[in-house]
Amino acid sequence: MENNVEAAEELYASIADSFAALDPLAPAHRRNTYAQVLYNHGLRYGGTGLARAAEMFQAASEAVKPQDPVNWASTTQNLAIALVAQARRTEGEAGTALLKRAVTAYEDALTVTTKAEHPRDWAMTQENLAILHLSWAARADCQDAAAHLQSALTHVTSALEVYDPEHSSFYFEKATRLKAQIEAELAQRAGG
């Protein structure tokens, strides 16, 4: 697969579609699983793996939304994660466009994974939005880094409303470190 991600994506899509007779949602679930493989490949080897993963997550998301909103939200979050990873490797306006798509995907997912009904998923999405805005602020072509850092701080602070040190110590500690990093960058920009 290292040298032919496109062929792998086609094969995965064909395999996923072959399960439609068993369960109408099976192709979408399979695409979500196979997209993870393409995503991991793209992270490791570069190339078109991340873009192909995003395409496959998008297809899975569109297919599952009406019947399984929670799975749709999870798949949409996976799409956003793939878009952010791809944006980190893409310069200029194309990278910024990927980040904008990722923000939209996360915000869409939050329409289902609400704080009241799915607090941990909601907090994870808030934390992912913080990471996205932190990455955006670090881009060479970012014109409003301070605004993105402030958005990142708002999102991670929201996540910390759900994570607590006793019941979610790993997530709490990770989000706390992220918040400290964002605050340090904001302070550096204010002082420098």
Side-chain angles (χ1 to χ4, degrees):
M1 186 166 77
E2 183 176 342
N3 294 320
N4 201 342
V5 175
E6 291 78 11
E9 180 191 20
E10 289 177 25
L11 180 62
Y12 286 148
S14 293
I15 293 169
D17 290 342
S18 73
F19 286 87
L22 301 172
D23 176 3
L25 292 179
H29 295 293
R30 296 265 178 190
R31 274 190 168 78
N32 193 25
T33 300
Y34 300 149
Q36 287 290 340
V37 175
L38 294 172
Y39 171 80
N40 291 332
H41 183 273
L43 285 179
R44 184 169 186 179
Y45 298 108
T48 61
L50 293 172
R52 297 296 179 162
E55 290 172 12
M56 194 166 272
F57 282 131
Q58 182 75 46
S61 175
E62 290 168 1
V64 77
K65 184 177 182 178
Q67 298 89 356
D68 189 353
V70 173
N71 191 6
W72 167 82
S74 175
T75 303
T76 301
Q77 290 177 44
N78 289 339
L79 167 62
I81 291 167
L83 292 169
V84 171
Q86 189 180 359
R88 286 184 179 143
R89 297 171 183 219
T90 307
E91 295 181 15
E93 291 180 22
T96 301
L98 291 166
L99 289 173
K100 288 177 181 177
R101 281 183 60 203
V103 168
T104 300
Y106 280 134
E107 290 174 349
D108 287 349
L110 286 171
T111 64
V112 172
T113 54
T114 62
K115 185 177 180 182
E117 293 184 30
H118 305 278
R120 180 172 276 179
D121 291 336
W122 178 86
M124 291 172 118
T125 303
Q126 294 296 330
E127 186 177 358
N128 285 337
L129 277 162
I131 293 166
L132 179 151
H133 283 287
L134 182 61
S135 294
W136 200 332
R139 293 180 65 82
D141 60 343
C142 182
Q143 300 296 317
D144 51 355
H148 285 290
L149 288 171
Q150 193 58 54
S151 290
L153 183 60
T154 299
H155 286 295
V156 76
T157 301
S158 294
L160 285 165
E161 293 173 5
V162 172
Y163 299 149
D164 70 80
E166 184 178 338
H167 299 100
S168 305
S169 61
F170 171 78
Y171 297 108
F172 177 81
E173 290 170 15
K174 189 169 74 122
T176 300
R177 285 191 304 272
L178 179 60
K179 183 177 181 184
Q181 177 186 354
I182 296 164
E183 288 173 336
E185 292 207 27
L186 277 166
Q188 181 180 10
R189 287 187 183 275

